[in-house]
Amino acid sequence: MNDLEQFFAANTGRLIHKWHHYFEVYDRHFSRFRGKSPHIVEFGVSQGGSLQMWKHYFGPGTRLDGVDINPECRRFEEPGVRISIGDQADRGFLRSLAKELPPIDILIDDGGHTMEQQIHTFEELFPHVAPHGVYLCEDMHTSYWRKWGGGFRRRGSFVEYAKGLIDGLNAWHSEERGRFDVSDFTRSVHSMHFYDSVLVIEKRPMQPPSHERRGQALFADYVPPKQTNLQRLKRQLKLGEPR
Ligand SMILES: C[S@@+](CC[C@H](N)C(=O)[O-])C[C@H]1O[C@@H](n2cnc3c(N)ncnc32)[C@H](O)[C@@H]1O
């Protein structure tokens, strides 16, 4: 059991609601911030238990910002813990929140989990995550649940949206400039990690990737056959490869 799991297992304080497999994911991506006074933002305060867990895990000096739509959550404000009340689907609220916040080391989206909430929160807050920070969205199984606006391969679900971000990560290799270009996302994201119901995006300032050959070649390299115009056209029209 990692320290977060232990805290959760022993918790008799404020309620925490977590899927068991999340603890391994958290520890894998968050442990490098422990003891370094990080700034953590969590959407979804609920009964305040997870804020206590983060405070314990990251240690003294941690700055926690909890965000929730429920004004009852204000009661969890204490030194080092600020609570903001608002709707994470509301871009105006998110923009004003972002203006008030210092760069975010870790953002955890555990709010209402609808597609609109997850996408708006990502679009408005991701630019405010620090250059070496982490963005984590959890409970993405709602992308498959109709009540939350999801559905298998449904356009507009957060999972489908996140699949699009994979293109952004790889845009250095685009052959279709103008249609598919290097973006701020490409330049600022080191990696995306998909787990059951969780996406973690690790930021790092990126340079165009480079490669080289080293060592002695022993025989001629395999050269992929050039596509004929007909093959290219058929592929574009999705007619399949000729036999
Ligand atoms: C899953 S609970 C959070 C659980 C908590 N982080 C924990 O680990 O115990 C979800 C919270 O999101 C809040 N929420 C729901 N819709 C929201 C919205 N549109 N904007 C902000 N918070 C919202 C709810 O009030 C609720 O407190």
Side-chain angles (χ1 to χ4, degrees):
M1 269 208 243
N2 65 43
D3 290 350
L4 284 166
E5 260 173 312
Q6 280 182 26
F7 183 94
F8 179 74
N11 185 37
T12 54
R14 294 177 191 156
L15 187 90
I16 311 172
H17 180 199
K18 291 292 175 198
W19 290 71
H20 288 117
H21 65 280
Y22 291 3
F23 294 108
E24 183 189 343
V25 176
Y26 295 146
D27 196 49
R28 178 173 180 191
H29 296 278
F30 295 172
S31 61
R32 66 185 163 97
F33 296 92
R34 296 183 79 179
K36 298 200 174 139
S37 312
H39 175 212
I40 315 290
V41 176
E42 184 173 43
F43 282 78
V45 172
S46 190
Q47 303 291 316
S50 52
L51 288 175
Q52 295 299 109
M53 180 176 78
W54 301 129
K55 193 176 179 182
H56 178 265
Y57 180 72
F58 290 106
T62 299
R63 174 180 170 167
L64 282 158
D65 272 277
V67 187
D68 205 287
I69 200 166
N70 187 352
E72 291 282 350
C73 294
R74 276 212 181 90
R75 71 178 68 186
F76 303 123
E77 217 154 33
E78 60 181 46
V81 181
R82 202 185 76 146
I83 304 291
S84 302
I85 302 300
D87 177 359
Q88 69 175 134
D90 175 355
R91 287 186 186 272
F93 164 69
L94 294 171
R95 281 178 198 155
S96 59
L97 176 73
K99 273 192 201 139
E100 292 166 12
L101 298 177
I104 302 165
D105 292 308
I106 296 176
L107 188 148
I108 302 152
D109 182 357
D110 186 21
H113 310 308
T114 69
M115 308 304 104
E116 195 187 34
Q117 290 162 0
Q118 289 171 336
I119 293 171
H120 290 185
T121 303
F122 173 78
E123 289 184 347
E124 299 299 335
L125 273 300
F126 187 73
H128 299 276
V129 172
H132 291 270
V134 174
Y135 190 100
L136 183 148
C137 182
E138 64 188 56
D139 288 3
M140 279 165 57
H141 38 252
T142 56
S143 275
Y144 304 101
W145 293 353
R146 296 208 176 276
K147 256 177 129 176
W148 272 263
F152 178 55
R153 301 258 164 98
R154 189 176 165 270
R155 196 180 289 194
S157 78
F158 190 68
V159 162
E160 292 303 315
Y161 179 86
K163 288 179 190 173
L165 297 177
I166 299 171
D167 295 327
L169 183 79
N170 289 291
W172 302 111
H173 309 283
S174 170
E175 289 186 332
E176 292 161 74
R177 300 282 177 214
R179 182 167 168 242
F180 173 36
D181 292 310
V182 168
S183 63
D184 287 346
F185 188 84
T186 319
R187 281 184 284 265
S188 65
V189 171
H190 171 256
S191 53
M192 296 174 66
H193 307 255
F194 285 88
Y195 302 90
D196 169 10
S197 304
V198 182
L199 169 62
V200 182
I201 305 178
E202 296 254 7
K203 273 193 167 183
R204 190 190 292 178
M206 301 301 288
Q207 297 299 321
S210 58
H211 66 100
E212 63 180 304
R213 288 186 169 83
R214 290 188 188 217
Q216 293 178 21
L218 299 179
F219 46 80
D221 273 339
Y222 170 75
V223 181
K226 281 212 172 99
Q227 279 194 331
T228 64
N229 284 340
L230 180 63
Q231 282 172 323
R232 202 171 293 133
L233 187 65
K234 283 194 170 179
R235 185 163 288 167
Q236 278 169 4
L237 295 173
K238 296 202 169 63
L239 294 178
E241 288 297 293
R243 286 165 193 253

